[in-house]
Amino acid sequence: MRPALLATLAAAAAALGGAEARADMWCATPLLLHEWGVHVFGPDGATATGADALPAWFHTPSSRARVGPGGAVRGLPADNGVRKLPVVHLYAAEGERASIPVALEVGFAHGAASAWYPAVDTLRAAAVANGPGAAAAKAQLLIARDARLRGAAAGLLPSDPTRQLVWDRLDLERSPWAAPAQVDAGSWVDAARDLDEALWVNGRGESERFVFYEAATTERVPLAFFRGRNGLHLRNDGPHAVHDVFVVNRAPRGLGDVVTVVFVADLAAGDAAPIDLGGPALSPADAAAATVGRLRGRLVNPLFPDARAIFEAPSAGPCAMGRDPALPTEQAAGFQLFAGEADLLLSVWEKRFFGASGVTVVYREDPAALDAAMPLSVYTDMRHVPVVHRAGLAVWEHVRLP
């Protein structure tokens, strides 16, 4: 299972744009989407099962798709001047009180969607979305988008035929439209709702502080251990770089554990790094600092630990003008999360990442790898411009060393 835990759709003014549009230039306000989740691999490197069980009220392929109110975001006026992955939380500047429309389309290149929330407007089978007919239709859609970009065409464009899950319209507000489903205190859903800077995601009859999706996939871990002339090495056999690689060896001894940790900041495609697990054992405090503490430090930018810090930052980026809601954002601009999101991720996964006996490998996927494996399209109105951050972590459990 590809854990689709929390994708945080954050309606936020990012550092590359002010919290309010500059009236003299009509700059669109950034809409920040934070997506995080975990891909679990078993000892043989194949996709394994994920962490917590899902709430019974999440939707599955047996659920009926719905048609949302208000029309598709793709049709809004243009501005003429289990991967167990995402929980999406939404953030907006305090002065922005109006509802923000957003649409999402999610594909899974190596599997089929297995659960999501809220209900989707369109559900496509993996065989259809990943088939040759969808690829041909996507090519025609790209031609139509290019024509719109050049001002040569108008009218409502269809959703992306290669996406399995389509939300044509969700509305982001500071209050829920419907009473959220009851959850157990202390569950990850309860913790996700406690991120009180986040906006509510409202669909027809359903409200939550995030968008969720996951899929069963056939992917394999791109890493491999081998023994060379100078000892044990870890090689990246995948097409994309991996980052923030932790190799943790936890061996029970007496009343405690002997823990050694090797950290590799970046491992480019095709590269290998030496792995010496024979170093000195770490105390519990040092082991926590070398694993949980270090990973949290990589995920959170200390200059922007929350939405307020971003909103109060001076404008530093280009002015987005001429926004057309029919044209989505489909590439991640970064990976960093807010502190509350990172803490939530680690509260769910810390023990599985760093507390298991034997050898465990944890790493962060490159945003470009996520864009390829789980393509995402984000639409919003002419007053906002999506800025996407994707923090995809992977854990390879009970590794058998050569």
Side-chain angles (χ1 to χ4, degrees):
M1 299 295 292
R2 252 297 203 193
L5 273 186
L6 302 181
T8 299
L9 186 67
L16 52 107
E20 297 180 357
R22 284 169 280 174
D24 59 329
M25 295 184 65
W26 186 238
C27 300
T29 300
L31 176 69
L32 181 64
L33 187 150
H34 281 190
E35 175 195 271
W36 66 261
V38 179
H39 195 171
V40 182
F41 294 99
D44 63 352
T47 300
T49 56
D52 291 4
L54 302 182
W57 38 272
F58 276 18
H59 300 283
T60 66
S62 61
S63 303
R64 293 182 62 185
R66 67 167 178 85
V67 177
V73 172
R74 297 186 307 277
L76 293 178
D79 175 10
N80 60 7
V82 169
R83 284 179 180 269
K84 291 188 178 285
L85 212 75
V87 177
V88 177
H89 288 284
L90 304 150
Y91 306 85
E94 291 184 3
E96 189 167 352
R97 299 291 177 181
S99 178
I100 301 172
V102 69
L104 299 176
E105 299 170 348
V106 184
F108 301 97
H110 306 287
S114 56
W116 55 89
Y117 197 84
V120 294
D121 296 289
T122 300
L123 171 64
R124 292 188 181 93
V128 174
N130 297 334
K138 174 64 176 285
Q140 294 302 309
L141 176 59
L142 293 178
I143 292 173
R145 286 180 182 172
D146 183 64
R148 276 191 79 106
L149 193 61
R150 294 182 285 105
L156 180 65
L157 297 180
S159 64
D160 189 324
T162 66
R163 307 301 194 244
Q164 296 180 34
L165 302 176
V166 177
W167 290 270
D168 275 330
R169 178 163 184 152
L170 300 167
D171 288 274
L172 314 179
E173 297 194 7
R174 297 198 176 276
S175 300
W177 289 359
Q182 290 189 338
V183 296
D184 294 333
S187 68
W188 69 261
V189 175
D190 183 51
R193 291 178 183 171
D194 281 344
L195 299 182
D196 55 12
E197 282 191 306
L199 296 176
W200 287 88
V201 181
N202 296 298
R204 177 182 289 181
E206 295 179 332
S207 296
E208 193 47 271
R209 263 200 160 122
F210 56 82
V211 174
F212 173 96
Y213 40 92
E214 75 174 18
T217 77
T218 58
E219 295 166 86
R220 297 187 61 86
V221 67
L223 305 178
F225 284 97
F226 69 94
R227 293 198 179 272
R229 183 173 302 176
N230 298 319
L232 186 67
H233 288 71
L234 180 64
R235 184 179 61 242
N236 178 8
D237 291 331
H240 299 277
V242 298
H243 312 278
D244 305 329
V245 183
F246 296 81
V247 181
V248 182
N249 186 24
R250 182 178 291 272
R253 181 179 298 174
L255 297 178
D257 292 339
V258 175
V259 181
T260 56
V261 179
V262 175
F263 176 76
V264 181
D266 300 285
L267 195 58
D271 282 0
I275 304 295
D276 181 9
L277 293 175
L282 300 177
S283 68
D286 288 343
T291 54
V292 178
R294 191 167 200 167
L295 178 56
R296 186 185 187 279
R298 305 287 286 192
L299 291 174
V300 179
N301 184 339
L303 297 178
F304 304 106
D306 53 31
R308 181 181 298 274
I310 285 183
F311 299 145
E312 294 177 349
S315 176
C319 172
M321 302 177 68
R323 282 275 302 118
D324 185 345
L327 305 178
T329 294
E330 297 184 316
Q331 289 187 327
F335 70 91
Q336 288 182 309
L337 304 175
F338 293 143
E341 298 162 346
D343 290 339
L344 174 53
L345 186 161
L346 291 170
S347 72
V348 175
W349 289 94
E350 174 183 347
K351 290 184 179 179
R352 197 152 181 181
F353 282 174
F354 304 122
S357 296
V359 175
T360 306
V361 177
V362 176
Y363 63 92
R364 179 174 58 81
E365 296 180 279
D366 194 86
L370 292 170
D371 289 344
M374 194 172 61
L376 172 66
S377 303
V378 186
Y379 305 81
T380 188
D381 61 15
M382 67 180 179
R383 299 180 182 276
H384 300 86
V385 56
V387 179
V388 177
H389 281 199
R390 310 188 81 174
L393 299 179
V395 55
W396 181 13
E397 301 179 307
H398 311 298
V399 179
R400 303 185 187 106
L401 297 179

